[in-house]
Amino acid sequence: MTYRVCFVCTGNICRSPMAESVFRARVAEAGLDGLVEVDSAGTGGWHEGDGADPRTVAVLQENGYDTDHTARQFDPAWFARLDLVIALDSGHLRALRRMAPTERDADKVRLLRSYDPAAGDDPDVPDPYYGNADGFDDCLRMVEAASTGLLTAVREHMEGRAA
């Protein structure tokens, strides 16, 4: 049974496609390709059909990640097929939980940095869109740091479902 994870930010051109690419690479490295499906979306549809921000693409390519992406808006109907919905900041977390059709669906929503013990009291991945290239580098470092803990959690969930 496939485990499905969707990363969500505002417009689906910066943070969530970055998280999708990084986590997809971690899944492949762990030998879970085909068992874990990874995608992303935005809370809004402003950039639907667009590729990732060129600065996101550049940072991903510089660090050896896949950059194929087309932006789309999160559809609340997807909750039924998703196991985990990963919000990139607290605003996305609140928006996604409001969209959730049931309490069970709302419980599927988590903050990405909650999987990084070093995040401390700073649960958000800041939006790099209006800043310079350094913000995209910082975003990548945060995403990479949280991806290790997220992969551990996904493995535990998958083992729990198989038991």
Side-chain angles (χ1 to χ4, degrees):
M1 186 191 239
T2 303
Y3 192 92
R4 292 176 174 84
V5 180
C6 184
F7 293 92
V8 181
C9 69
T10 305
N12 193 218
I13 60 169
C14 296
R15 293 172 285 180
S16 58
M18 189 179 291
E20 175 186 358
S21 293
V22 169
F23 195 65
R24 184 174 287 124
R26 295 299 177 269
V27 165
E29 291 164 5
L32 298 174
D33 234 0
L35 298 174
V36 178
E37 182 181 297
V38 182
D39 61 15
S40 65
T43 56
W46 308 279
H47 299 286
E48 267 190 306
D50 295 345
D53 184 289
R55 296 166 294 177
T56 297
V57 172
V59 167
L60 288 170
Q61 287 177 339
E62 288 167 12
N63 290 277
Y65 294 105
D66 175 39
T67 59
D68 185 33
H69 176 74
T70 302
R72 63 195 186 136
Q73 183 173 0
F74 188 85
D75 183 335
W78 298 348
F79 274 108
R81 67 173 178 81
L82 292 169
D83 295 290
L84 205 50
V85 180
I86 303 296
L88 275 288
D89 72 27
S90 301
H92 307 133
L93 178 83
R94 288 187 299 274
L96 288 161
R97 287 188 172 160
R98 280 192 305 268
M99 281 185 220
T102 68
E103 191 62 39
R104 183 171 183 240
D105 291 325
D107 289 342
K108 296 177 183 180
V109 183
R110 298 280 185 274
L111 277 168
L112 177 62
R113 292 198 75 205
S114 69
Y115 296 97
D116 178 7
D121 293 338
D122 189 8
D124 295 343
V125 175
D127 188 352
Y129 186 77
Y130 294 104
N132 59 32
D134 289 346
F136 287 81
D137 290 327
D138 292 343
C139 181
L140 179 62
R141 282 192 294 279
M142 290 178 194
V143 166
E144 288 177 327
S147 291
T148 301
L150 176 57
L151 184 60
T152 299
V154 167
R155 280 183 181 199
E156 289 172 2
H157 289 163
M158 290 173 67
E159 289 169 7
R161 286 194 332 191

